[in-house]
Amino acid sequence: MPDPIRFSPTGPEGWLAAPDQPLDYAELLKGLPMGLDHAYFTRPEAALKAGIWRSGPYTERYEDYPVDEFMIVLDGEVTLEGDGFRDTYRKGDAFFVPKGFRGVWNQPVAMLKFYVIIG
């Protein structure tokens, strides 16, 4: 039986100090997402991934967000904007982006988040 997993807001030992790497993105509008992702848990047969992620500023457009994703902002902020929708999420906020979301992810500052993805 699997044990519960503690998520550290600084990631695994040394993770916050590790060098940034290029991150995946959709249609890039501004900047270049550089950061790091660490999966604390994966269950491939359920297309489930949960972890911590960080990135510097960038802006991208999604025509069809590829996964369902729940996030908790640990630091920084992001504004999501779509047809008739605009909201900004900051440190301490939790939010969910449903698969198929169409809009813009505008991250004007570095961001750190916990996430759970179901793809």
Side-chain angles (χ1 to χ4, degrees):
M1 179 179 324
D3 292 329
I5 300 165
R6 178 181 296 272
F7 283 40
S8 168
T10 58
E13 187 174 337
W15 183 81
L16 266 183
D20 287 341
Q21 300 175 3
L23 297 170
D24 292 337
Y25 54 87
E27 178 190 341
L28 195 59
L29 301 177
K30 180 178 169 185
L32 180 63
M34 296 288 293
L36 207 54
D37 180 9
H38 173 75
Y40 279 103
F41 179 81
T42 60
R43 180 168 285 151
E45 69 275 14
L48 175 69
K49 180 179 173 184
I52 188 169
W53 176 93
R54 71 174 203 240
S55 175
Y58 73 102
T59 302
E60 66 185 328
R61 178 188 320 279
Y62 284 97
E63 289 301 320
D64 185 8
Y65 202 72
V67 296
D68 288 317
E69 184 172 4
F70 174 77
M71 298 171 242
I72 299 172
V73 180
L74 301 172
D75 200 17
E77 71 179 61
V78 63
T79 298
L80 296 181
E81 189 170 355
D83 292 335
F85 173 83
R86 179 184 168 88
D87 206 353
T88 299
Y89 307 97
R90 294 179 177 88
K91 185 177 182 174
D93 289 338
F95 65 103
F96 179 80
V97 178
K99 184 175 183 172
F101 167 74
R102 182 179 174 180
V104 173
W105 172 285
N106 180 16
Q107 187 181 308
V109 296
M111 187 169 133
L112 178 67
K113 70 178 182 179
F114 285 142
Y115 66 84
V116 176
I117 292 173
I118 301 172

